[in-house]
């Protein structure tokens, strides 16, 4: 019975029990004890030829003694019931407290058994949910540290190899070697700034200075900024903007997201290819679809590319960055209540990355983008 598991119902029942005991004790003592004493006393009053009014005193005395006995019985009952109830309630509370202390000490696998009382069961469930969250965060943190260590190892080993080679006289300290060392150093530098950005985006600690801008215009200006790089590689860049797309965003951050998507499209599209940027409205969302005629993605990689440090490996794939770009980009899109999705018909068929952001509500006047 669900009602019986509620704490308020159980507390009410325990008070009702004490009230019943009081009532019972009063009934018994008044009927048995008081009436017996009254009978005895009234007889002795009659024998001694007592005066008028004495029978009244006899009645009050016997009632008093009955009340004292009833009081003792009710206090006893209250003591027993309250001890039992408190033990029942405090046991799970103590278990929750012990569990939270163990959690605080880093035992994230700690879980509390759900007690019978509904309200306490909810508390236990909340504590368990907290434990799961802490465990996940801790596991992610540990994984991140090992991934970072792994990412740093390759450039550091390369630099160490060159430096030791030069010290041992295997390499001349010529320009070629120094350029190679310089490249690895900038890789480490890029990794450091990507990591700082990643941890900020994962903590949700990026301050967003939002205002209403037109997403289509923002995409067009961002594309224009990157156009020289497209021209240099010989990749055609086309931008198609449609109806106005007012979105309430931090324009710098969304420009950063778009730069990442355009940059990836350029990196993974060979010379002579084509990248198209289309701004559109899809119900209450503004979308920017970046499609390229590049190397494409396999179905398994469509979701994985958003994972930290994930890079698709293959003999013909150009070397990209550290595999954090899309993780940060998606984090930023989600911080704006939007998202990024990837689609591709398969390797070699090009891919489409779509940024979705909610359209700003009409009470906000549209800005200039
Ligand atoms: P990176 O900095 O290495 O480019 P990203 O997080 O931006 O990292 O991308 C992750 C991986 O997703 C890349 O290594 C690449 O293999 C794949 N990828 C991203 N964009 C595209 C694209 N337009 N076409 C094909 N593959 C892509």
């Amino acid at each position: 019975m669900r009602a019986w598991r509620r704490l308020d119902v159980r507390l009410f029942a325990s008070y009702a029990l004490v009230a019943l005991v009081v009532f019972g004790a009063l009934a018994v003592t008044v009927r048995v004890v008081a009436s017996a004493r009254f009978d005895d006393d009234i007889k002795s009053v009659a024998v001694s030829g007592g005066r008028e009014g004495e029978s009244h005193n006899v009645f009050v005395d016997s009632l008093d003694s009955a009340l004292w006995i009833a009081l003792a019985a009710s206090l006893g009952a209250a003591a027993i019931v309250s001890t039992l109830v408190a033990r029942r309630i405090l046991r799970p509370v103590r278990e929750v407290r012990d569990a939270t202390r163990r959690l605080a000490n880093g035992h994230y696998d700690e879980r509390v058994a759900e007690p019978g009382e509904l309200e306490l069961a909810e508390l236990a469930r909340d504590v368990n949910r907290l434990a799961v969250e802490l465990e996940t965060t801790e596991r992610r943190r540990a994984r991140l540290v090992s991934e970072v260590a792994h990412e740093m190892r390759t450039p550091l080993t390369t630099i160490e190899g060159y430096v030791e080679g030069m010290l041992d006289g295997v390499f001349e300290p010529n320009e070629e070697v120094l350029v190679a060392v310089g490249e690895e150093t900038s890789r480490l530098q890029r990794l450091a700034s990507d990591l700082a950005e990643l941890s900020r985006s994962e903590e949700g600690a990026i301050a967003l200075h939002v205002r209403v801008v037109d997403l289509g215009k923002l995409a067009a200006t961002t594309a224009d900024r990157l156009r020289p790089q497209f021209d240099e590689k010989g990749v055609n860049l086309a931008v198609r903007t449609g109806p106005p797309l007012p979105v309430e965003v931090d324009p710098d951050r969304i420009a950063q997201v778009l730069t990442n998507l355009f940059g990836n499209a350029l990196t993974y599209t060979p010379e002579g290819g084509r990248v198209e940027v289309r701004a559109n409205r899809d119900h209450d969302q503004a979308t920017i679809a970046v499609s390229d005629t590049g190397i494409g993605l396999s179905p398994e990689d469509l979701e994985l590319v958003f994972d930290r440090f994930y890079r698709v490996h293959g003999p013909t794939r150009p070397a990209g960055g550290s595999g954090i770009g899309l993780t940060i980009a998606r984090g930023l899109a989600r911080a704006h209540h939007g998202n990024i999705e990837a689609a591709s018909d398969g390797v070699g068929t090009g891919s489409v990355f779509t940024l979705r952001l909610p359209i700003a509500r009409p009470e906000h006047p549209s800005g200039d983008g």
Side-chain angles (χ1 to χ4, degrees):
M1 204 168 61
R2 196 177 155 82
W4 180 240
R5 290 185 57 206
R6 282 170 44 186
L7 209 55
D8 51 353
V9 173
R10 289 193 176 188
L11 278 177
F12 172 76
S14 67
Y15 284 121
L17 182 66
V18 173
L20 272 177
V21 169
V22 172
F23 178 78
L26 266 178
V28 170
T29 47
V30 168
R31 276 170 187 269
V32 181
V33 183
S35 67
R37 252 200 82 179
F38 184 78
D39 287 348
D40 289 349
D41 290 356
I42 207 81
K43 264 183 220 143
S44 53
V45 168
V47 168
S48 62
R51 277 176 290 119
E52 200 186 324
E54 224 161 318
S55 57
H56 174 81
N57 289 343
V58 166
F59 172 74
V60 171
D61 279 353
S62 43
L63 201 58
D64 274 354
S65 53
L67 282 176
W68 281 114
I69 293 171
L71 176 68
S74 352
L75 281 179
I80 293 169
V81 171
S82 61
T83 310
L84 289 178
V85 169
R87 196 174 296 162
R88 207 50 229 228
I89 294 174
L90 287 183
R91 187 168 36 86
V93 170
R94 207 170 293 132
E95 274 173 19
V96 169
R97 197 188 60 189
D98 290 347
T100 49
R101 282 188 186 163
R102 284 194 291 269
L103 276 175
N105 286 330
H107 300 284
Y108 300 124
D109 53 350
E110 187 67 42
R111 298 291 179 274
V112 193
E114 283 183 28
E117 291 77 8
L118 284 181
E119 293 85 346
L120 296 177
E122 271 167 26
L123 175 67
R125 260 199 298 277
D126 284 348
V127 170
N128 286 342
R129 209 171 305 141
L130 177 73
V132 170
E133 284 295 316
L134 286 172
E135 198 177 14
T136 318
T137 310
E138 176 58 19
R139 212 176 297 143
R140 270 173 50 186
R141 192 193 61 76
R143 216 182 74 200
L144 177 64
V145 171
S146 84
E147 285 166 349
V148 169
H150 179 80
E151 282 302 308
M152 289 172 67
R153 203 164 294 137
T154 317
L156 285 175
T157 311
T158 314
I159 293 171
E160 190 184 29
Y162 279 123
V163 172
E164 279 182 0
M166 285 190 280
L167 285 174
D168 295 346
V170 181
F171 299 127
E172 283 290 309
N174 58 24
E175 194 183 332
E176 196 188 333
V177 173
L178 291 177
V179 165
V181 171
E183 272 170 11
E184 296 302 325
T185 318
S186 5
R187 220 167 113 174
L188 281 172
Q189 200 131 34
R190 246 191 344 259
L191 176 66
S193 63
D194 279 356
L195 280 172
E197 183 80 12
L198 175 72
S199 75
R200 272 200 300 273
S201 80
E202 289 202 337
E203 282 166 21
I206 293 180
L208 297 177
H209 305 287
V210 296
R211 62 189 170 92
V212 176
V213 294
D214 186 277
L215 188 61
K217 282 187 190 161
L218 186 60
T221 19
T222 312
D224 283 343
R225 219 174 292 144
L226 291 179
R227 197 172 291 281
Q229 292 173 37
F230 279 79
D231 292 343
E232 195 183 323
K233 188 172 173 183
V235 173
N236 181 278
L237 174 66
V239 182
R240 315 233 173 284
T241 53
L245 297 172
V247 287
E248 194 174 13
V249 296
D250 182 331
D252 292 341
R253 294 303 183 175
I254 295 303
Q256 182 186 345
V257 171
L258 292 168
T259 305
N260 182 275
L261 296 183
F262 300 166
N264 276 350
L266 174 63
T267 306
Y268 301 106
T269 301
E271 186 186 341
R274 181 180 162 80
V275 172
E276 192 176 287
V277 176
R278 256 170 300 130
N280 244 316
R281 191 181 173 138
D282 179 9
H283 297 97
D284 54 354
Q285 286 186 323
T287 62
I288 299 287
V290 186
S291 50
D292 62 57
T293 57
I295 57 178
L297 286 163
S298 65
E300 310 83 70
D301 285 327
L302 289 179
E303 220 9 69
L304 290 173
V305 289
F306 294 101
D307 284 359
R308 290 186 312 226
F309 300 113
Y310 187 82
R311 278 158 298 189
V312 184
H313 292 290
T316 56
R317 297 187 75 90
S322 46
I324 306 181
L326 284 174
T327 318
I328 297 173
R330 185 180 253 187
L332 286 172
R334 289 187 172 170
H336 286 88
H337 311 290
N339 203 4
I340 300 179
E341 295 144 12
S344 172
D345 289 334
V347 175
T349 62
S351 30
V352 187
F353 282 80
T354 307
L355 165 69
R356 293 178 176 277
L357 290 169
I359 296 267
R361 277 189 243 121
E363 59 259 29
H364 300 290
S366 159
D368 58 4

